């Protein structure tokens, strides 16, 4: 099959939905000779928010140290190949086609899910390319996530919040238990948790398998020096030393905790301070995008993928630091139907913004009229659009050069804006 045939094979696997369990993915991996056992140093990252940032930062540090580094993240923004990269370079379409051809019969026989097939494909490619290190982001949860077939060197938990509650549980303690299941005997664990229930659960999980656990806020401490659009400066104290004025090309003080986890792992692995600084400064080379990314000026345009209340709270807090620089804020929002849209909208209210609702390019999109009605129930009059392109064009016509435009609510929406080459 060619690349388009491979995509036409993979994407309909979404019809199988979520099918918790690891047996299917293990059998798929057996087709490729158990590549999960040939990934070098493995950092496995779970969390409600921030895991993509931590993954990109750590992968960039490994690259700066000269290690051949695999990075597996989801979802993609523009093209499927973005999900798996080696030293920042996505897998080629030809290799996607080749691996899909190899596992097609097994996928059909097992009725494997899209994420299971994608995970098997990624691990097979990483192993065949002989990577020295693999940074692997969970898809959802941890315990029964398809990625949880790896024996990680480092297990990292970035945050715990109420998302995917229909699958992971209705409390932070239950969700923490699912994510903490990536910690295994032989791992060293790292976490950044604010909720006492989550701390207790993760601490107990690490102790149960004899894994050392290092907690940001207990074993290491981060302080933010400045947080401007596209530039974050922070310092970090660890038991091994102090890093002063670390810099990363990110927007938002909240990223400091995620970057700190990456530094803590890298330090344990043996990276020196120069390598850590180079890795953080160059983390955009890993393909990291759309986390309050500035993609336009006059008016400033920020592209964001926050899609749950906890993530949106961090987005809002980041923007409020420089909110007074702008005359008006315009928010273009689109969301998937399995998200808590009302809670997300309420979180956005402190921005005192003009809202516009749009559909996202997904079968799970909240209809824009429904999202508009939800905004109206919160006292906000918002125009609605079926096409994100038309929605953003209208905002751009109305916005002044000293305004801020925030596009947020979904990976799908951010990807569509990038695909269209807007603004």
């Amino acid at each position: 099959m060619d690349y388009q045939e491979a995509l036409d094979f993979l994407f309909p696997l979404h019809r199988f939905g979520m099918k918790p369990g690891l047996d299917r993915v293990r059998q798929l991996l057996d087709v490729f000779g158990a590549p999960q056992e040939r990934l070098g140093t493995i950092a496995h990252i779970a969390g409600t928010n921030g895991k993509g940032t931590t993954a990109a930062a750590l992968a960039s540090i490994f690259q700066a140290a000269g290690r051949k580094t695999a990075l597996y993240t989801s979802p993609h923004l523009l093209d499927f190949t973005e999900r798996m990269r080696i030293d920042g370079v996505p897998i080629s379409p030809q290799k996607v086609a080749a691996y899909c051809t190899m596992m097609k019969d097994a996928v059909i026989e097992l009725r494997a899910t899209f994420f299971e097939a994608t995970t098997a494909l990624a691990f097979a490619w990483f192993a065949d390319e002989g990577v020295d290190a693999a940074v692997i982001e969970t898809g959802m949860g941890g315990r029964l996530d398809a990625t949880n077939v790896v024996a990680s060197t480092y297990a990292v938990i970035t945050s715990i919040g109420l998302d995917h509650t229909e699958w992971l549980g209705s409390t932070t303690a239950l969700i923490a238990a699912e994510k903490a299941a990536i910690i295994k005997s032989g791992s060293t664990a790292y976490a950044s948790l604010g909720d006492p229930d989550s701390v207790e659960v993760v601490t107990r999980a690490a102790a149960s398998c004899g894994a050392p656990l290092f907690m940001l806020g207990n074993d290491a401490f981060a302080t933010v020096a400045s947080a401007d659009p596209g530039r974050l400066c922070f310092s970090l104290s660890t038991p091994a030393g102090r890093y002063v004025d670390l810099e990363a090309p990110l927007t938002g003080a909240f990223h400091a905790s995620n970057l700190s986890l990456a530094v803590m792992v890298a330090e344990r692995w043996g990276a020196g301070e120069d390598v850590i600084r180079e890795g953080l400064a160059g983390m955009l080379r890993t393909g990291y995008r759309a986390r309050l990314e500035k993609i336009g000026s006059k008016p400033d345009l920020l592209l964001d993928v926050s899609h749950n209340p906890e993530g949106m709270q961090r987005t809002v807090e980041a923007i409020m630091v420089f909110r007074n620089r702008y005359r008006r804020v315009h928010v273009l929002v689109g969301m998937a139907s399995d998200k808590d849209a009302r809670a997300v909208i309420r979180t956005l209210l402190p921005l005192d913004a003009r809202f516009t609702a749009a559909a996202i390019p997904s079968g799970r999109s909240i209809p824009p009229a429904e999202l508009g009605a939800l905004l109206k129930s919160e006292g906000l009059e918002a125009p609605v659009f079926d096409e994100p392109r038309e929605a953003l064009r209208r905002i751009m016509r109305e916005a002044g050069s000293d305004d801020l435009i925030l596009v947020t609510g979904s990976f799908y929406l951010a990807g569509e804006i990038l695909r269209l080459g807007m603004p």
Side-chain angles (χ1 to χ4, degrees), residues 180-197:
I182 69 167
I183 303 173
K184 301 180 178 72
S185 177
S187 300
T188 301
Y190 299 82
S192 174
L193 307 168
D195 172 57
D197 291 340

Side-chain angles (χ1 to χ4, degrees), residues 11-50:
F11 281 96
L13 298 178
H14 281 299
R15 69 185 183 276
F16 294 132
M18 299 297 302
K19 296 168 66 174
L22 301 178
D23 289 344
R24 287 178 304 280
V25 71
R26 285 196 176 103
Q27 291 181 68
L28 285 181
L29 288 162
D30 285 344
V31 172
F32 301 113
Q36 71 274 24
E37 299 174 3
R38 295 179 280 120
L39 300 179
T41 299
I42 297 174
H44 197 192
I45 302 175
T48 303
N49 296 297

Side-chain angles (χ1 to χ4, degrees), residues 190 214-215 218-221 236-243 264 267:
Y190 299 82
F214 298 92
M215 197 88 68
N218 184 25
D219 302 294
F221 302 88
L236 176 67
S237 297
T238 73
R242 178 169 170 78
Y243 305 87
M264 292 164 69
E267 180 185 76

Side-chain angles (χ1 to χ4, degrees), residues 79-420:
D79 189 80
F80 173 82
T81 58
E82 298 168 13
R83 292 171 176 254
M84 52 209 81
R85 299 171 182 263
I86 295 178
D87 290 343
V89 180
I91 188 172
S92 70
Q94 294 77 17
K95 287 190 179 293
V96 171
Y99 285 113
C100 283
T101 299
M102 293 172 65
M103 69 176 173
K104 180 178 180 180
D105 291 344
V107 169
I108 293 171
E109 179 182 350
L110 294 167
R111 295 175 63 84
T113 68
F114 171 83
F115 190 69
E116 289 166 346
T118 301
T119 299
L121 191 165
F123 289 4
W125 179 53
F126 295 159
D128 288 349
E129 293 295 318
V131 299
D132 302 311
V135 182
I136 299 167
E137 177 190 342
T138 60
M140 185 182 75
R143 180 173 63 93
L144 298 177
D145 187 83
T147 63
N148 202 29
V149 295
V150 298
S152 61
T153 316
Y154 307 106
V156 185
I157 301 174
T158 58
S159 69
I160 304 294
L162 296 176
D163 198 10
H164 300 297
T165 53
E166 69 276 24
W167 292 102
L168 304 180
S170 58
T171 68
T172 54
L174 289 171
I175 294 173
E178 292 293 314
K179 297 183 186 297
I182 69 167
I183 303 173
K184 301 180 178 72
S185 177
S187 300
T188 301
Y190 299 82
S192 174
L193 307 168
D195 172 57
D197 291 340
S198 299
V199 171
E200 180 181 352
V201 169
V202 172
T203 301
R204 188 167 59 246
S208 69
C209 55
L213 172 63
F214 298 92
M215 197 88 68
L216 186 65
N218 184 25
D219 302 294
F221 302 88
T223 55
V224 175
S226 61
D228 295 312
R231 179 181 177 273
L232 173 64
C233 180
F234 71 104
S235 297
L236 176 67
S237 297
T238 73
R242 178 169 170 78
Y243 305 87
V244 179
D245 291 342
L246 296 170
E247 291 192 15
L250 306 181
T251 302
F254 66 91
H255 285 301
S257 61
N258 304 318
L259 300 182
S260 294
L261 288 173
V263 173
M264 292 164 69
V265 172
E267 180 185 76
R268 176 86 170 195
W269 174 72
E273 182 172 345
D274 288 347
V275 166
I276 288 171
R277 289 185 181 277
E278 180 184 343
L280 293 182
M283 62 181 287
L284 297 185
R285 65 186 169 181
T286 64
Y288 178 90
R289 298 205 66 179
R291 274 75 167 186
L292 279 174
E293 178 185 2
K294 185 178 177 182
I295 63 170
S297 300
K298 296 185 177 181
D300 284 354
L301 175 55
L302 297 179
L303 195 60
D304 186 52
V305 294
S306 296
H307 52 267
N308 57 48
E310 290 81 7
M312 197 62 74
Q313 181 63 42
R314 294 173 182 176
T315 289
V316 170
E317 289 172 356
I319 293 174
M320 290 302 290
V321 171
F322 47 81
R323 168 66 177 87
N324 61 3
R325 301 181 189 178
Y326 300 100
R327 182 174 60 104
R328 292 181 302 188
V329 174
H330 307 260
V331 175
L332 172 57
V333 62
M335 298 188 67
S337 57
D338 62 343
K339 304 303 178 186
D340 189 348
R342 185 178 295 277
V344 165
I345 288 169
R346 287 178 174 172
T347 304
L348 286 163
L349 294 179
L351 293 178
D352 187 25
R354 296 184 177 185
F355 285 81
T356 300
I360 63 173
S362 166
R364 296 187 297 115
S365 177
I366 296 177
E370 181 180 325
L371 197 54
L374 192 56
L375 286 160
K376 188 172 183 178
S377 72
E378 296 295 327
L380 302 164
E381 292 291 340
V384 300
F385 293 84
D386 290 326
E387 294 291 333
R389 179 202 302 263
E390 296 307 317
L392 186 53
R393 279 178 174 169
R394 171 166 171 164
I395 294 172
M396 294 291 291
R397 287 196 300 267
E398 294 181 349
S401 61
D402 54 354
D403 286 359
L404 171 67
I405 301 170
L406 172 67
V407 179
T408 191
S410 168
F411 275 90
Y412 292 102
L413 180 60
E416 181 70 0
I417 297 302
L418 290 175
R419 187 184 68 80
L420 294 169

